[in-house]
Amino acid sequence: GVKSPGLGICEWLLTILSFLFIVMTFPISIWFCMKVVREYERAIVFRLGHLLPGRAKGPGLFFFLPCLDTYHKIDLRLKTLEIPFHQVVTKDMVTLEIDAVCYYRLENASLLLTTLTSISGAIQLLVQTTTKRLLAHQAFSELLLERKNISQEIKVALDAVTGCWGIKVERIEINNVQLPAELRQSLAVEAEAQRQAKVRVIAAEGEKAASESLRMAAEILSSAPAAAQLRYLHALHSLTAEKAAAFILPLPLDAMNLVSPATPSTPAVSSLLTGNTKLPESLKDKKDSPML
């Protein structure tokens, strides 16, 4: 705690007179000189403005002089402080707005009462400045992925300062991270592009697997013509089952061979294809005819 200077002569005289008055009015005065402090509380006693030496009073009963002493109760239970949104700049020059939650406990009541006037205000400003200083060395992706480790670093940095105030920081958590509208839009576009790329890769892999399966099926069907005929009939049956109103006229598989170009084997066909057609002798003789 903080050591206060000793009492002066006048203060000692007032203290002695107060004790004599209490003794003269005993036992009535004893009811005004005893106070109760709960288990989670501590009482700090000031006598004529001076902090009494020793540790804080409590828990239980404690004695004080009604005319000269004043006391203040300090709650030692865990407290929660919400840190409002404040701007921070990361290592990669990204401006963010974050808020946090700080859990702290009052350890040294005497030191705390004689050191701070506003506990919540001091802790709030300290958390904000410490967060700005530490996040300036972290990238934006590290802030999103390593939030727990960053919170632990902030807690250690806060303990180094609040220990001199009689405050113990138990935990601090980064609650929300708000991004600017431009950054949100760019991240959404990037995520959409990544999803589209994954869809294209999956579709390409599916096409590759389907082509491999079709190639193997074609090899199997080419070795067995009866199997190709059955597969053709099965496809026709599937079409009629899906679309009952459709009218399908099946063709034999041999008709498909007529569509494909065949190699010329006869002189007539070869002459038709080459365009070198010879006229018969009778037509040669009648080539001067008007009908021709």
Side-chain angles (χ1 to χ4, degrees):
V2 178
K3 293 183 179 180
S4 58
L7 300 177
I9 298 176
C10 296
E11 294 171 344
W12 276 112
L13 291 176
L14 290 176
T15 303
I16 294 172
L17 291 176
S18 179
F19 273 107
L20 292 176
F21 179 75
I22 291 172
V23 172
M24 292 173 58
T25 58
F26 186 84
I28 299 175
S29 60
I30 197 63
W31 299 104
F32 300 95
C33 298
M34 303 299 294
K35 295 294 179 180
V36 178
V37 179
R38 297 181 178 89
E39 182 67 30
Y40 55 85
E41 293 177 339
R42 296 296 183 269
I44 308 300
V45 180
F46 292 90
R47 180 165 297 170
L48 295 174
H50 297 277
L51 178 66
L52 292 183
R55 65 182 185 88
K57 309 297 182 180
L61 292 172
F62 72 95
F63 177 82
F64 81 107
L65 299 177
C67 301
L68 305 179
D69 294 349
T70 57
Y71 69 95
H72 300 273
K73 290 184 179 180
I74 302 296
D75 195 342
L76 301 182
R77 289 177 294 184
L78 187 67
K79 293 179 175 57
T80 304
L81 178 62
E82 295 184 2
I83 310 300
F85 282 98
H86 56 282
Q87 286 188 353
V88 297
V89 181
T90 59
K91 183 179 180 180
D92 47 358
M93 302 305 293
V94 177
T95 303
L96 307 173
E97 288 187 357
I98 65 172
D99 67 337
V101 180
C102 181
Y103 302 90
Y104 66 95
R105 189 189 305 275
L106 308 181
E107 283 190 337
N108 194 332
S110 302
L111 180 61
L112 176 67
L113 196 62
T114 55
T115 303
L116 294 179
T117 56
S118 176
I119 299 174
S120 60
I123 295 178
Q124 176 179 331
L125 294 176
L126 181 62
V127 170
Q128 291 179 353
T129 54
T130 305
T131 303
K132 292 180 180 179
R133 177 171 54 86
L134 292 179
L135 292 184
H137 302 281
Q138 302 290 337
F140 172 65
S141 58
E142 295 176 356
L143 173 61
L144 297 180
L145 298 177
E146 302 293 335
R147 186 179 299 185
K148 183 177 180 181
N149 296 333
I150 294 175
S151 300
Q152 184 65 24
E153 293 179 3
I154 296 174
K155 174 187 174 301
V156 174
L158 290 176
D159 275 336
V161 180
T162 57
C164 302
W165 300 343
I167 300 174
K168 172 65 176 177
V169 177
E170 297 289 344
R171 188 182 183 91
I172 185 168
E173 292 290 343
I174 298 176
N175 192 13
N176 296 319
V177 178
Q178 288 187 355
L179 307 178
E182 297 81 3
L183 183 58
R184 288 199 300 267
Q185 184 177 0
S186 62
L187 290 178
V189 172
E190 181 181 357
E192 183 65 23
Q194 292 179 355
R195 287 193 293 268
Q196 292 294 336
K198 290 181 180 180
V199 168
R200 293 191 184 95
V201 170
I202 294 173
E205 292 178 353
E207 290 291 338
K208 179 181 178 182
S211 61
E212 291 290 335
S213 301
L214 289 175
R215 183 182 62 82
M216 296 175 61
E219 292 177 356
I220 295 173
L221 291 176
S222 62
S223 61
Q229 185 72 25
L230 292 175
R231 185 70 185 88
Y232 174 62
L233 295 176
H234 182 268
L236 293 178
H237 177 70
S238 300
L239 291 175
T240 55
E242 292 178 359
K243 297 181 179 180
F247 179 76
I248 299 174
L249 180 62
L251 294 175
L253 291 178
D254 297 338
M256 302 301 296
N257 297 329
L258 300 177
V259 181
S260 60
T263 56
S265 58
T266 60
V269 176
S270 61
S271 63
L272 287 174
L273 294 176
T274 55
N276 299 327
T277 306
K278 295 182 180 180
L279 294 174
E281 294 295 334
S282 60
L283 293 178
K284 288 181 180 180
D285 298 337
K286 300 177 180 180
K287 61 182 180 179
D288 295 334
S289 175
M291 296 298 294
L292 296 176

